[in-house]
Amino acid sequence: MSGHSKWHNIQGRKSAQDAKRGKIFQKISREIYVAAKSGGPDPDSNPQLRLMIDKARSANMPKDNIKRALDKASGAGGEDYEEITYEGYGPAGVAILVHALTDNRNRTASAVRGDFNRNGGSLGETGSVSFMFNRKGYIAIAREGLDVDEDQMFEDVIEAGAEDLQSADEVFEIYTDPKAFTDVKAELEKKYDLATAELTMIPTTTVPVPEDKVEQLNRLIERLEDEDDVSEVFTSAEYPED
């Protein structure tokens, strides 16, 4: 792994994301719709849909919202979304991947390019930064109130089929092969409460962000995340410790 705490970066931006909960629900609904439309509405036979429903529950998305997305996908016709990844650099040379679901490629490309240009970044060509990231399953288990030492946790996560364990101050961070993520998650849930569990993109190396660039970088990421068509944003940023 990259040797930095993904949890630190997650917590550093959590409050900004919480303020946009309504928009997050809208985006997850779209992801549920696309997963159900392409692989069927039964999460037991559609692993991608099961992951999206788990994502919705982790975000405290109401059950009615999930049901509406599934009902919509089960109906005839509907929207035709395309998955697109944009790549570029932000302030301080931070690599950025932007995953989008869109029904209008030109509209989304224009919006994403504008966000980069107006906030100290530059949109790159396909392949310009994606090689710097690996697809991984990521699970965090809070250490507070947990009577388990690192040796025991390591034994448990390896037995569950995970690839790696890192210890941060607040959490144990577990990384998995993306194909094994669902099984590892299910095994660990038998013993532990999971603080977060997701499929994500992990940078192979990180870029320390100077204090004077943090605000500008966060503004760029927030603008990208605020776009209706953008589903996920990943970066190689390593934020300074508080």
Side-chain angles (χ1 to χ4, degrees):
M1 294 302 107
S2 56
H4 78 297
S5 172
K6 177 177 171 61
W7 183 255
H8 175 66
N9 287 356
I10 289 174
Q11 293 303 102
R13 305 195 60 255
K14 186 175 184 300
S15 59
Q17 292 173 337
D18 285 347
K20 301 174 182 177
R21 192 168 298 275
K23 180 159 283 191
I24 289 171
F25 290 167
Q26 177 186 343
K27 293 183 179 188
I28 295 175
S29 291
R30 184 182 293 188
E31 292 175 319
I32 290 172
Y33 170 85
V34 170
K37 198 77 174 173
S38 61
D42 182 2
D44 290 334
S45 59
N46 184 343
Q48 182 61 26
L49 176 59
R50 187 163 66 249
L51 286 174
M52 291 303 101
I53 291 176
D54 285 347
K55 181 177 180 180
R57 289 170 176 162
S58 295
N60 296 317
M61 185 169 161
K63 292 180 180 179
D64 285 348
N65 294 46
I66 298 174
K67 185 178 184 301
R68 277 197 297 271
L70 291 172
D71 289 345
K72 187 177 180 182
S74 299
E79 293 90 350
D80 184 17
Y81 292 109
E82 181 180 5
E83 295 185 57
I84 304 175
T85 297
Y86 299 96
E87 308 178 34
Y89 288 93
V94 170
I96 299 177
L97 282 180
V98 181
H99 289 177
L101 285 174
T102 180
D103 57 359
N104 187 320
R105 176 188 284 261
N106 290 336
R107 178 192 67 218
T108 308
S110 176
V112 169
R113 183 179 296 106
D115 289 335
F116 272 95
N117 291 342
R118 288 190 293 270
N119 295 281
S122 60
L123 191 62
E125 299 293 328
T126 299
S128 58
V129 304
S130 57
F131 70 94
M132 302 179 191
F133 293 81
N134 290 321
R135 188 73 165 167
K136 293 289 180 184
Y138 172 80
I139 298 169
I141 298 174
R143 301 186 69 160
E144 185 177 359
L146 193 65
D147 188 22
V148 175
D149 61 22
E150 188 170 345
D151 289 341
Q152 180 62 55
M153 180 61 70
F154 181 78
E155 182 178 324
D156 288 345
V157 301
I158 296 302
E159 185 176 321
E163 290 183 336
D164 191 29
L165 169 71
Q166 290 186 13
S167 296
D169 290 341
E170 298 180 13
V171 293
F172 289 110
E173 298 182 290
I174 298 123
Y175 295 89
T176 81
D177 182 284
K179 294 179 180 178
F181 171 71
T182 301
D183 291 339
V184 174
K185 177 176 176 289
E187 284 300 311
L188 290 176
E189 282 178 327
K190 294 176 182 178
K191 293 185 176 182
Y192 303 105
D193 292 328
L194 310 185
T196 191
E198 62 185 8
L199 281 173
T200 187
M201 300 297 290
I202 301 294
T204 53
T205 58
T206 57
V207 177
V209 183
E211 290 279 0
D212 63 345
K213 295 292 184 180
V214 169
E215 183 177 352
Q216 187 181 36
L217 175 61
N218 281 344
R219 186 165 59 247
L220 169 57
I221 296 170
E222 287 165 14
R223 294 290 187 275
L224 289 168
E225 289 179 337
D226 203 40
E227 297 292 350
D228 289 342
D229 298 330
V230 171
S231 52
E232 295 176 302
V233 178
F234 306 102
T235 83
S236 65
E238 183 175 346
Y239 286 92
E241 297 287 343
D242 296 332

